[in-house]
Amino acid sequence: MRKPIIAGNWKMNKTPAEAAQLVTDLIPLVKDAACDVVVCTPAVCFAAVSEAIKGTNIKLGAQNVHFEAKGAFTGELSADMLKASGCEYVIIGHSERRQYFGETDKTVNLRTVAAVKAGLKAIVCVGEMKDEREAGYTDILVTYQTQMALHGLTAEELDNVVVAYEPVWAIGTGLTATDEQANETIGVIRKAIAAQFGEEAAAKIRIQYGGSMKGRNVKGLMAQPEIDGGLIGGASLKAADFAQVVNF
Ligand code: 13P
């Protein structure tokens, strides 16, 4: 019942010319995908990518959004700016933003609410660090992060939210959560959403796994009942690698 969604998070990679080349290579490889396909590119690539993907099944996403509509926020981009640049999706609260750029559960919440109310689809990231998992706090932490991020939305607005469970220790490390670990924690996230918005909303919302997901482990992860897709870093930077994930 939930359509899978595979999204590439390019992070700080690709110039506009490189981005256009990558999506041009990607288009024929993913044209028959059974899932939603999204590329979240650097903002400087929006123009090139939105032009290249016109009329295809690939959607464009951003990697962050500010919660105010406009004003004195040097370096930031508003939801309306993203929409006007061809973005349909936006990643919010990625662990790299939490680790390096002072993102907190509060600002993740503000950004998520602003993005959804402005008509963007939010990909909201949650996940524990290695020491938090080892200390046994994974379930409490992802429950809190999820409920805090989504606070203030309605159950209907959740139709425009995807949650990405990204264990921080699995990002860019080559370590993946086992299929069962990922499934179990995503189940915890779904329960957290059920407690906050009801069973129906929880059954509908798509929850991705992210963290060293690639061609050789995508099948096992996607076979798990709770896992509805992937947020892909490294393996989204080459058309053939990303297509392998998309065509799982
Ligand atoms: P990797 O796939 O490179 O581990 O990155 C995952 C990620 O952070 C996606 O947002």
Side-chain angles (χ1 to χ4, degrees), residues 103-142:
E103 196 77 63
T104 65
D105 290 306
K106 177 68 188 169
T107 55
V108 170
N109 175 240
L110 290 171
R111 292 183 206 277
T112 301
V113 171
V116 171
K117 304 247 182 237
L120 286 165
K121 296 185 172 81
I123 299 176
V124 179
C125 303
V126 301
E128 82 287 359
M129 315 250 247
K130 187 162 182 278
D131 55 344
E132 292 165 335
R133 175 166 282 269
E134 286 168 357
Y137 288 116
T138 300
D139 294 3
I140 292 174
L141 193 86
V142 298

Side-chain angles (χ1 to χ4, degrees), residues 24 49 53 67 87 94 112 122 154-155 181 198 203 212 217 243 245:
T24 303
V49 173
I53 62 177
F67 37 86
C87 293
H94 191 278
T112 301
T154 65
Q181 269 173 339
S212 300
N217 56 28
V245 180

Side-chain angles (χ1 to χ4, degrees), residues 7-9 11 91 94-96 125 164 166 170-175 210-214 231-236:
N9 174 10
K11 308 192 180 182
I91 297 171
H94 191 278
S95 64
E96 286 148 19
C125 303
E166 299 207 312
I171 294 177
T173 56
L175 298 172
S212 300
M213 193 165 173
K214 45 187 62 125
L231 187 55
I232 319 299
S236 72

